[in-house]
Amino acid sequence: MVSRSCVSLLDLASGNMMDFSHTPRALPRIMTVPGIISDLDGDGTNDGNSDTPSTVTLSKKIIVSNFLPLNAQKDLKSGKWSFSFDEDSLLLQMKDGFTENTEVVYVGSLRADVDTSEQEEVSQQLLEEFNCVPTFIPSEIYKKFYHGFCKHHLWPLFHYMLPMSPDHGIRFDRLLWQSYVTTNKIFADKVMEVINPEEDYVWVHDYHLMVLPTFLRKRFHRIKLGFFLHSPFPSSEIYRILPVRDEILKALLNADLIGFHTFDYARHFLSCCSRMLGLDYESKRGHIGLEYFGRTVYIKILPVGIHTGRIESALNHPSSSIKVKEIQKQFKGKRLVVGVDDMDVFKGISLKLLAMEHLLQQNSELRGKLVLVQIVNPVRSSGKAVQEAKMETYTITKRINDTFGFPDYEPVVLIDRHVPFCEKTAYYALAECCIVNAVRDGMNLIPYKYIVCRQGTPKMDEALGVAPGSRHTSTLVVSEFTGCSPSLSGAIRVNPWDIEAVSNALNVAINMPDLEKQLRHEKHYRYVSSHDIAYWACSFMQDLMRACEYHYSKRCWGIGFGLNFRILSLSPSFRKLSNDYIITAYKRTSKRAIFLDYDGTVVAQTSIPKTPSPEVISVLNNLCSDPRNNVFIVSGRGKKSLSDWFAQCENLGIAAEHGYFLRWSGMSDWETRSLAADFDWKNTAKPVMKLYTETTDGSYIETKESALVWHHEDADPDFGSCQAKELLDHLENVLANDPVVVKRGQNIVEVKPQGVTKGLCCREGSFLDDC
């Protein structure tokens, strides 16, 4: 049921795309210890405990996607709407991966236009009868969102097609991006109407809703949120072309778990996060995790499966048996190769046809015997590129049939119409080989369906005339640029652009010995039947639950505005200080110790000039002029640099090189705060660092009196990080018997004497006594 107390928190009527409305706090801010605000503290408007429980108490799974798993039809005479579940929808089939008592709520759009006057009634009907919450997007916004930004920006770019000219893709349009954001906000409104944030899990699907996690995380800091991308994720060299690249990356990182079909897609995403956001990742007990402002965002790699029961039911349907007999009669004495593709530029249909043409040219014995049945699914997008692909497909098909065909034989049978599922299963069951020749495809489940159909059922075997207990066979020719390719190790993998190689692969597939066909088929069927849609959904949800386990063990604060919003997650021991209390305490105390770091505190980390500004010098002198204050700069930088930079601050204390050197004021001499005097280890460490500096462009060595530091902030992020890990391991091995510590920091690898730390410098008794 919809929680009637929930209201839309994202007011689109304001026209401000990036403005988030705020929710009244459930509890007032309180102090548990003087000057320390409890975990209810936040940004003053919304915080980690803003996850106010709704009236719903039953845990459920909220599945969010562009379209609902529904068929919708309106009776023109009565004006009544009728709805039914789309049995072919992946979203509906994935329910098999949840327990029987799991409540599943779907949020998405209908594939039909519903008049504004009917929307409330339709919404209530869909919620009560189908547990579906429709998002009614104004037609003009939806057109710019789906056919504009999604289909003409994201979809081509994610498939490696660049808008090099207006004739090949439209240039970036800010208005289309705003429609994309607006639509995602509408989806967020609908999720908020039905969610119990303390119990429910939200699973967002595909590239249409990539900024939705930010809207949901802004409202509910501890929302349990997963995202799965069903398309490829391009390499960083392609993705960085997108003008809103950072906004999308940051939005995805507001999820707890992000899923991809293949390791390549996940690797590209991680590389983008490293190169554009400076984030690093690591594997934790087999799980890849990205550290993002104290949160761990987990990465899931698992290709989606199919619903084998649905396909077996279709095989057992009487219409499938009838169709099999018709096809057998139509192609009597012929050997079938089947292909099923959408009509778009990425499916490689024309390249497949050219390979078939080359096969017939080189193998005259196959003429009159081999037939390629190419089924073309209805187009889901429009545009010049689609029309060109369709024209090219028809042109090549006609040329092949005119050249190699004769009465009662067409080498290529092109079926460009809606083909019922039972008819497709009949073609799958009869075809000796299935070819998927896409130049780029997120997953492509056609090979999986083909394998299950070739395995058959007793009824289908009877229709085919196969003896009971016979071993089944199948062969696959699969493009290496499809998401299903890595999981089909028995398939013949091809580069779809290499026409001759694809032709040879088809020849190998159809002439393969029966025993090898059987072994390859059995290997594939074991995988497909055990990694079905239920396995995929169950595995993702289990990992999402694991990723969310830490939610209530940390303190959360929301920071940033608009699509730059993110959660700062800190350990339970962290307490945010009250500014009012600090000021009061500062005024009433008679003796104060003030410790300041340098980089990131006195000067910005990104600052090119590292010298302190005149304003900073003025502030420090004001602090030092008060006799009650003892002000210290505690830094890892060398004493010469710090001495020169703060020469105007006579009363400022400085702890250089992490406290190895200490000076109480500008008039004092430098003291050594450690007994370490043997620096022979530098003779061992420096040559090793030089070796890595020579092989890592952009890196350099900083030589301090007490330490050596290898910097790689100006190197390539991926290569620099890789080299840093290698250098760390190398130095730990060669310096294992020396009294030093080898440490890796942000873009650095440092070697320094044991026991020298900033914290120890501040805690030393004599130091505190003097302060």
Side-chain angles (χ1 to χ4, degrees):
M1 288 293 293
V2 176
S3 175
R4 302 299 181 188
S5 62
C6 292
V7 295
S8 173
L9 303 175
L10 304 171
D11 187 5
L12 290 173
S14 66
N16 187 348
M17 296 290 182
M18 302 300 148
D19 183 38
F20 297 87
S21 21
H22 301 304
T23 303
R25 301 178 59 84
L27 294 172
R29 290 165 34 121
I30 60 172
M31 286 190 184
T32 54
V33 177
I36 296 178
I37 299 177
S38 76
D39 57 347
L40 297 178
D41 109 24
D43 59 7
T45 56
N46 204 342
D47 60 32
N49 274 324
S50 66
D51 304 342
T52 310
S54 71
T55 56
V56 184
T57 57
L58 187 65
S59 173
K60 56 184 175 293
K61 309 293 188 294
I62 301 175
I63 310 299
V64 191
S65 66
N66 184 30
F67 290 117
L68 291 170
L70 293 175
N71 297 313
Q73 190 172 3
K74 187 175 185 179
D75 190 301
L76 297 179
K77 292 183 179 180
S78 64
K80 296 291 184 181
W81 283 97
S82 61
F83 302 97
S84 61
F85 276 121
D86 179 4
E87 298 295 335
D88 292 327
S89 172
L90 176 147
L91 301 178
L92 188 64
Q93 296 170 356
M94 62 189 279
K95 286 179 64 176
D96 287 1
F98 305 147
T99 57
E100 291 184 3
N101 59 349
T102 300
E103 181 186 1
V104 179
V105 176
Y106 296 101
V107 177
S109 301
L110 286 168
R111 298 178 187 269
D113 292 327
V114 179
D115 190 79
T116 306
S117 60
E118 302 174 294
Q119 289 178 2
E120 186 174 351
E121 181 183 350
V122 167
S123 295
Q124 194 63 32
Q125 180 184 352
L126 293 182
L127 181 64
E128 293 175 355
E129 297 180 14
F130 300 95
N131 253 19
C132 289
V133 180
T135 56
F136 298 111
I137 316 295
S139 58
E140 189 59 31
I141 293 178
Y142 189 81
K143 182 179 179 182
K144 292 178 181 178
F145 154 72
Y146 184 70
H147 296 289
F149 193 77
C150 289
K151 286 300 181 183
H152 286 104
H153 280 327
L154 292 180
W155 178 257
L157 189 71
F158 279 26
H159 288 73
Y160 290 73
M161 178 179 284
L162 306 183
M164 301 299 292
S165 69
D167 292 334
H168 295 86
I170 61 176
R171 300 292 170 79
F172 181 80
D173 186 339
R174 184 67 58 174
L175 291 177
L176 299 183
W177 164 245
Q178 290 177 348
S179 295
Y180 183 84
V181 174
T182 299
T183 303
N184 276 247
K185 290 175 75 174
I186 294 174
F187 272 81
D189 283 336
K190 292 300 179 180
V191 173
M192 290 174 191
E193 289 181 4
V194 295
I195 190 173
N196 174 4
E198 292 190 344
E199 300 291 338
D200 299 342
Y201 290 85
V202 181
W203 186 353
V204 181
H205 289 264
D206 224 1
Y207 65 97
H208 314 91
L209 303 171
M210 288 197 293
V211 299
L212 178 58
T214 288
F215 295 106
L216 297 176
R217 186 70 67 185
K218 168 67 178 178
R219 174 60 182 88
F220 302 118
H221 289 186
R222 291 188 174 94
I223 190 172
K224 300 168 183 176
L225 180 58
F227 180 92
F228 198 95
L229 184 67
H230 293 271
S231 78
F233 196 93
S235 73
S236 60
E237 294 304 306
I238 298 295
Y239 179 78
R240 71 202 313 177
I241 293 169
L242 191 63
V244 289
R245 60 193 191 182
D246 287 355
E247 289 89 331
I248 290 177
L249 281 183
K250 290 175 182 178
L252 289 176
L253 291 171
N254 274 318
D256 295 296
L257 177 67
I258 306 173
F260 300 93
H261 287 305
T262 72
F263 173 70
D264 275 349
Y265 303 159
R267 179 169 54 86
H268 293 160
F269 173 77
L270 293 169
S271 178
C272 288
C273 291
S274 172
R275 291 175 176 274
M276 295 168 207
L277 302 181
L279 303 178
D280 205 0
Y281 68 91
E282 61 180 353
S283 180
K284 298 180 178 180
R285 296 185 178 181
H287 298 278
I288 300 175
L290 263 171
E291 292 301 321
Y292 187 60
F293 289 92
R295 295 173 54 243
T296 300
V297 181
Y298 288 94
I299 306 300
K300 175 79 171 175
I301 303 167
L302 183 67
V304 69
I306 60 173
H307 196 291
T308 55
R310 165 83 173 140
I311 296 175
E312 289 168 354
S313 296
L315 290 170
N316 288 329
H317 197 276
S319 60
S320 291
S321 299
I322 294 171
K323 195 63 187 178
V324 160
K325 295 184 183 300
E326 291 178 3
I327 296 172
Q328 281 179 319
K329 183 178 180 181
Q330 179 185 355
F331 297 103
K332 186 176 181 180
K334 309 292 192 302
R335 306 176 70 181
L336 296 188
V337 175
V338 68
V340 180
D341 302 279
D342 296 340
M343 179 57 77
D344 69 44
V345 295
F346 303 113
K347 298 302 181 183
I349 298 176
S350 60
L351 296 174
K352 184 190 305 183
L353 295 174
L354 291 174
M356 179 68 177
E357 183 179 42
H358 185 273
L359 180 64
L360 295 174
Q361 287 172 348
Q362 300 298 315
N363 301 274
S364 57
E365 70 279 5
L366 295 177
R367 300 170 193 172
K369 296 181 180 179
L370 186 66
V371 176
L372 170 63
V373 177
Q374 177 60 53
I375 299 174
V376 179
N377 295 324
V379 295
R380 289 186 286 180
S381 62
S382 58
K384 184 179 178 181
V386 174
Q387 296 305 316
E388 289 177 349
K390 187 171 184 177
M391 185 181 300
E392 185 180 18
T393 298
Y394 274 88
T395 301
I396 298 174
T397 298
K398 185 176 185 304
R399 185 177 73 222
I400 295 173
N401 288 339
D402 289 347
T403 304
F404 301 105
F406 48 80
D408 296 330
Y409 173 66
E410 281 189 336
V412 178
V413 177
L414 190 63
I415 305 176
D416 188 5
R417 58 173 172 80
H418 171 70
V419 179
F421 188 57
C422 288
E423 185 176 346
K424 285 182 182 177
T425 59
Y427 278 110
Y428 289 143
L430 283 166
E432 290 186 35
C433 176
C434 176
I435 176 170
V436 173
N437 206 49
V439 297
R440 188 72 59 179
D441 210 343
M443 183 60 193
N444 201 314
L445 295 173
I446 298 302
Y448 288 18
K449 297 175 182 177
Y450 167 72
I451 290 163
V452 174
C453 289
R454 289 291 290 178
Q455 180 68 18
T457 63
K459 284 189 178 180
M460 180 54 67
D461 286 348
E462 183 181 347
L464 291 168
V466 175
S470 299
R471 295 179 67 181
H472 297 84
T473 65
S474 67
T475 54
L476 284 167
V477 176
V478 177
S479 165
E480 62 191 46
F481 299 109
T482 59
C484 63
S485 175
S487 59
L488 297 171
S489 56
I492 303 174
R493 298 191 181 99
V494 294
N495 174 3
W497 301 100
D498 189 341
I499 305 300
E500 186 175 347
V502 178
S503 172
N504 292 336
L506 280 171
N507 194 29
V508 169
I510 59 180
N511 291 309
M512 189 179 292
D514 286 344
L515 177 60
E516 187 173 352
K517 289 181 180 179
Q518 291 168 4
L519 294 174
R520 287 174 183 258
H521 169 78
E522 290 167 2
K523 184 177 186 179
H524 287 157
Y525 184 72
R526 281 196 301 271
Y527 176 84
V528 172
S529 59
S530 60
H531 291 74
D532 59 3
I533 185 71
Y535 173 87
W536 173 77
C538 179
S539 180
F540 186 91
M541 192 54 63
Q542 286 178 347
D543 277 8
L544 179 57
M545 292 177 179
R546 186 183 298 111
C548 297
E549 285 178 349
Y550 73 93
H551 274 193
Y552 288 92
S553 65
K554 291 193 174 185
R555 296 173 182 269
C556 299
W557 284 268
I559 57 176
F561 298 97
L563 292 177
N564 284 317
F565 175 84
R566 63 269 190 203
I567 291 295
L568 179 62
S569 183
L570 301 168
S571 67
S573 60
F574 177 83
R575 295 293 185 273
K576 187 177 179 182
L577 295 174
S578 164
N579 289 339
D580 293 340
Y581 176 81
I582 295 173
I583 293 171
T584 302
Y586 179 86
K587 289 179 178 179
R588 74 166 181 259
T589 53
S590 60
K591 211 164 188 63
R592 314 175 188 118
I594 301 173
F595 302 102
L596 301 171
D597 193 10
Y598 189 76
D599 293 283
T601 303
V602 174
V603 297
Q605 287 279 12
T606 56
S607 175
I608 298 297
K610 293 301 181 182
T611 56
S613 66
E615 291 81 5
V616 169
I617 298 296
S618 175
V619 170
L620 290 174
N621 278 329
N622 285 336
L623 285 172
C624 293
S625 65
D626 189 332
R628 293 174 293 177
N629 291 344
N630 288 276
V631 185
F632 266 80
I633 296 291
V634 183
S635 174
R637 289 188 172 272
K639 64 180 183 180
K640 185 179 186 309
S641 297
L642 294 172
S643 295
D644 294 342
W645 291 339
F646 294 105
Q648 302 176 52
C649 303
E650 292 185 359
N651 297 322
L652 178 68
I654 299 176
E657 299 190 19
H658 301 294
Y660 186 84
F661 296 106
L662 188 67
R663 191 182 73 180
W664 299 94
S665 69
M667 307 301 293
S668 305
D669 294 329
W670 285 99
E671 301 175 11
T672 302
R673 309 296 292 179
S674 173
L675 297 177
D678 183 5
F679 292 100
D680 288 344
W681 56 266
K682 286 187 176 183
N683 298 327
T684 305
K686 200 162 189 176
V688 175
M689 286 188 171
K690 281 185 177 180
L691 174 65
Y692 284 82
T693 303
E694 291 170 0
T695 58
T696 311
D697 185 39
S699 66
Y700 65 92
I701 301 171
E702 180 188 1
T703 302
K704 301 178 183 179
E705 290 188 48
S706 68
L708 290 174
V709 186
W710 187 76
H711 294 261
H712 63 92
E713 62 264 23
D714 295 328
D716 177 271
D718 288 336
F719 185 56
S721 178
C722 178
Q723 291 289 80
K725 292 176 183 177
E726 196 68 32
L727 174 59
L728 179 70
D729 184 59
H730 196 158
L731 289 171
E732 285 179 339
N733 284 330
V734 298
L735 299 174
N737 297 322
D738 290 285
V740 295
V741 173
V742 184
K743 181 181 178 182
R744 187 180 175 196
Q746 186 174 8
N747 295 322
I748 67 165
V749 175
E750 183 176 28
V751 185
K752 62 181 181 180
Q754 290 178 348
V756 178
T757 67
K758 294 178 183 178
L760 183 62
C761 162
C762 297
R763 288 197 303 269
E764 286 184 356
S766 60
F767 185 20
L768 292 176
D769 290 341
D770 290 332
C771 290

